[in-house]
């Protein structure tokens, strides 16, 4: 008897062969109907992708607000995967990276957002903020200026530029500049500020040295300058009555300049305060050997001798 085949075809089937073919047709027909009933998954439309990206962005915003920045980054990354041309998503992720103190990643995202949309002022702000956090203040100022050119009334950009310009003004040119600024602060009684400047100068000189087998090598001029920075910082510590740090800085200076009169003298004064009279006496004597006319050292030696007699 005729029977309907797949796609409406009519075939005459008889015997065992017919039953086999009929069963095969029925299986095919059932699969076809099931696929129609269940529907075939389609690729998401652009509108669906955007909606999903927005959902990921909102999740990221929620995590960012709760200071769960690593999870926020994950959500923004998922959103970017669905909407890779969104400058806003890049700055969202830049903000999360910045909050996680991953400033390099924040800068990468900020620059990517500007590449996608050069008129996106927030991208310039995020770049400036990341650069400022990495102490690249001149570049940060340029980024903030670029943002302000697009959005002149933006207070965040204006504040960022003001902070960057102040940081540039406060950034020393070299170790000598640090010493000059430290001396000025010391003269005004700003001992903590002076310590900060001397410390920056020391760090700059150490960074500029040429390590050889793990040992920093300095020129003669740099040795004297570095020793002076240590001695000056020691005097600030002495004014703040932090005698142990006075000793530490003076000993660092003496390693560089063993005949530093001020290093011997200030170390001796600190040892006297700490009631380490033998070491104080040795320090005063060393200072007098360098400059016999120094009255502070000779008077210190007499005081220490008197203390030792009383203790004895």
């Amino acid at each position: 008897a005729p029977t309907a085949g797949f796609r409406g075809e009519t075939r005459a089937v008889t015997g065992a062969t017919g039953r086999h073919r009929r069963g095969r047709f029925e299986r095919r027909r059932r699969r076809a109907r099931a696929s129609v009933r269940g529907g075939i998954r389609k690729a998401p439309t652009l509108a669906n992708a955007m909606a999903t990206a927005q959902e990921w962005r909102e999740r990221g915003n929620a995590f960012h607000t709760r200071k769960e920045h690593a999870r926020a980054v994950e959500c923004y990354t998922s959103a970017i995967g669905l909407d890779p041309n969104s400058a806003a998503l890049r700055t969202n992720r830049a903000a999360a990276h910045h909050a996680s103190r991953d400033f390099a990643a924040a800068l990468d995202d900020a620059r990517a957002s500007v590449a996608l949309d050069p008129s996106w002022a927030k991208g310039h702000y995020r770049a400036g903020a990341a650069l400022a956090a990495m102490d690249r203040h001149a570049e940060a100022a340029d980024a903030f200026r670029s943002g302000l050119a697009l959005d002149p009334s933006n207070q965040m950009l204006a504040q960022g530029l003001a902070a960057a310009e102040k940081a540039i003004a406060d950034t020393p040119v070299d170790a000598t500049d640090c010493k000059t600024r430290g001396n000025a602060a010391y003269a005004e009684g700003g001992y903590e500020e002076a310590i900060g400047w001397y410390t920056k100068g020391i760090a700059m000189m150490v960074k500029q040295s040429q390590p050889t087998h793990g040992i920093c090598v300095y020129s003669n001029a740099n040795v004297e300058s570095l020793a002076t920075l240590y001695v000056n910082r020691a005097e600030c510590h002495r004014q703040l009555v932090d005698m142990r740090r006075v000793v530490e800085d003076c000993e660092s200076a003496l390693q560089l300049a063993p005949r530093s009169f001020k290093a011997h003298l200030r170390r001796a004064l600190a040892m006297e305060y700490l009631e380490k009279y033998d070491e104080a006496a040795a320090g005063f004597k060393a200072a007098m050997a360098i400059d016999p006319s120094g009255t502070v050292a000779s008077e210190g030696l007499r005081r220490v001798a008197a203390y030792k007699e009383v203790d004895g």
Side-chain angles (χ1 to χ4, degrees):
T3 184
F6 192 67
R7 296 181 182 174
E9 66 214 21
T10 301
R11 299 175 184 274
V13 286
T14 58
T17 301
R19 287 193 300 273
H20 174 74
R21 292 176 64 189
R22 188 163 56 247
R24 185 179 63 189
F25 293 148
E26 289 297 326
R27 287 194 298 274
R28 292 174 65 186
R29 187 181 294 113
R30 284 196 298 271
R31 285 198 299 269
R33 287 174 178 170
S35 67
V36 171
R37 286 196 303 270
I40 299 173
R41 184 180 296 273
K42 297 179 180 180
T45 64
L46 180 61
N48 288 338
M50 294 303 104
T52 305
Q54 180 61 24
E55 289 171 2
W56 279 114
R57 181 184 186 184
E58 290 172 358
R59 292 180 193 178
N61 292 345
F63 283 125
H64 187 57
T65 300
R66 296 203 296 267
K67 301 187 185 303
E68 297 182 49
H69 305 303
R71 299 187 71 179
V73 167
E74 292 175 0
C75 291
Y76 294 137
T77 300
S78 295
I80 290 168
L82 294 167
D83 187 7
N85 295 320
S86 171
L89 287 173
R90 299 284 181 170
T91 48
N92 284 145
R93 191 169 68 177
H97 280 310
H98 191 107
S100 300
R101 302 189 65 78
D102 189 348
F103 304 124
L107 179 60
D108 287 343
D109 269 340
R111 285 176 168 169
S113 77
V114 172
L116 288 167
D117 184 358
S119 67
W120 184 239
K122 187 176 284 188
H124 294 285
Y125 171 76
R126 279 289 157 209
L131 288 162
M134 292 188 283
D135 293 330
R136 294 162 62 177
H137 301 295
E139 294 174 80
D142 288 340
F144 290 132
R145 289 191 192 99
S146 296
L148 282 169
L150 298 166
D151 187 0
S153 63
N154 190 298
Q155 290 300 307
M156 293 179 69
L157 285 164
Q159 291 169 5
L161 178 58
E165 289 177 339
K166 183 179 184 303
I168 291 169
D170 290 344
T171 301
V173 176
D174 52 23
T176 301
D177 189 14
C178 289
K179 177 187 171 184
T180 301
R181 296 182 189 220
N183 291 351
Y186 176 86
E188 295 177 359
Y191 304 124
E192 292 90 347
E193 182 184 352
I195 286 171
W197 286 119
Y198 295 139
T199 300
K200 285 183 179 179
I202 290 167
M204 291 177 76
M205 294 203 71
V206 170
K207 187 176 181 179
Q208 293 169 1
S209 67
Q210 301 287 329
T212 303
H213 303 298
I215 300 173
C216 292
V217 179
Y218 306 95
S219 66
N220 290 336
N222 285 346
V223 165
E224 292 181 8
S225 297
L226 183 55
T228 299
L229 287 168
Y230 277 118
V231 169
N232 288 3
R233 190 172 70 175
E235 180 59 20
C236 293
H237 287 310
R238 196 171 76 87
Q239 294 296 328
L240 295 171
V241 199
D242 190 348
M243 298 303 175
R244 296 191 184 281
R245 290 194 175 181
V246 173
V247 173
E248 290 174 2
D249 275 349
C250 288
E251 288 179 348
S252 294
L254 289 169
Q255 288 178 359
L256 295 162
R259 288 186 57 78
S260 170
F261 172 81
K262 289 182 178 179
H264 283 294
L265 179 61
R266 289 171 185 171
R267 183 179 181 279
L269 290 168
M271 288 299 186
E272 179 185 357
Y273 183 90
L274 295 170
E275 299 183 359
K276 297 183 177 182
Y277 300 128
D278 287 339
E279 292 182 67
F284 288 131
K285 289 178 181 177
M288 292 173 65
I290 297 168
D291 183 3
S293 64
T295 58
V296 176
S298 59
E299 290 174 0
L301 186 59
R302 282 196 294 271
R303 283 196 309 274
V304 169
Y307 295 147
K308 291 177 69 174
E309 287 181 7
V310 170
D311 289 346

